[in-house]
Amino acid sequence: MKVLVTGAGGQLASELQVSLPPGVQLTVLGRDRLDIAHAAQVQQVIAGLMPAVVINAAAYTAVDKAESEQAQAFAVNAEGAGHLARACALHGARLVHVSTDFVFSGEACHPYLPTDAAGPVSVYGASKLAGEQRIQEALGGRAVVIRTAWVYSRVGHNFVKTMLRLMAERDSLGVVSDQVGTPTWAHGLAQAIWRVVERPAVEGILHWTDAGVASWYDFAVAIQEEAQALGLLPARCAAINPIRTVDYPTPARRPAWSVLDKTTTWQQLECTGMHWREALRQMLNDLETHGEQL
Ligand SMILES: NC(=O)c1ccc[n+]([C@@H]2O[C@H](COP(=O)([O-])OP(=O)(O)OC[C@H]3O[C@@H](n4cnc5c(N)ncnc54)[C@H](OP(=O)(O)O)[C@@H]3O)[C@@H](O)[C@H]2O)c1
């Protein structure tokens, strides 16, 4: 089966390559060869390759910068998703698109269901929701939209690598304890996406993160403990202090609660996600083995 992945070099696109199942003929293109914000190029590439499945791992992901670069964020996350969806409709390809917990306001007190009302509180979240809507307009429910959250991997920039660097450099650091969600290893997300590809009947909105719940503070403490156990950090390093969101102002607002309900996804994909702490342990092992730059 021919599969095209967009966003080469990103966290998810890299893990999709690592976890490639047998029988897939994969093409992974970066922005230099496939700029999803460029409608004509999207049509041309998909018409040329004629993939059975397109996985959109490309996105404008700079959440804070998006507040001052609204046009750029929407060009990629909204219009880009729409260009891909229309090209898939025209050439009979299945679209598997990745979206975010940031489509929700974060005011709920239960894990968000795929059917819950969206209400983004940031430009990034609004641009990703607009992307879901463009896909719905072009393909109806026939595409798969997978919402995920708090993604990290061995490659790219992410919270885990930033924490490891800061914990090695500083005596103490404050980490927000009143935003709660679920860390997600891009490797597990990639494996879930391949299960979607293998199941042509799956469609609509899915939620995928690792299992469990944590605040950013809990996550930082776990990163330190697991990294110390592996010798990636010394036994004595930065003290981690819980702080409030109001004490760490950022240009973009973030949902205070962004736990996603995965029940229906786990049923459809016939698997459950790993607990986030076990996934973190495996990723740090991977980092230790490969000696990736922080
Ligand atoms: N990271 C998270 O915490 C998180 C959380 C929830 C959902 N998600 C979603 O998960 C998906 C994968 O995220 P990720 O963490 O893998 O992101 P990432 O590491 O930032 O990778 C995104 C990739 O998309 C590329 N890209 C940007 N604009 C493009 C364009 N116009 N055309 C083609 N490629 C373009 C980027 O290239 P450049 O490097 O050249 O910009 C980058 O390689 C995205 O849909 C994201 O919204 C991520």
Side-chain angles (χ1 to χ4, degrees), residues 57-68:
Y60 179 108
T61 55
V63 174
D64 287 319
K65 223 166 143 194
E67 295 297 310
S68 53

Side-chain angles (χ1 to χ4, degrees), residues 6-13 29-31 34-37 56-61 76-77 97-101 124 128 148-152 156-157 189:
T6 64
Q11 300 191 88
L12 177 58
L29 298 179
R31 196 210 305 238
L34 175 56
D35 179 346
I36 66 164
N56 183 25
Y60 179 108
T61 55
V76 181
N77 294 344
H97 172 77
V98 184
S99 191
T100 171
D101 57 323
Y124 168 74
K128 293 293 289 185
T148 188
W150 297 26
V151 178
Y152 64 90
H157 301 288
L189 172 63

Side-chain angles (χ1 to χ4, degrees), residues 239-258:
I240 308 167
N241 303 309
I243 59 169
R244 297 172 307 168
T245 299
V246 289
D247 298 323
Y248 186 74
T250 53
R253 268 183 70 200
R254 285 160 169 78
W257 168 266
S258 67

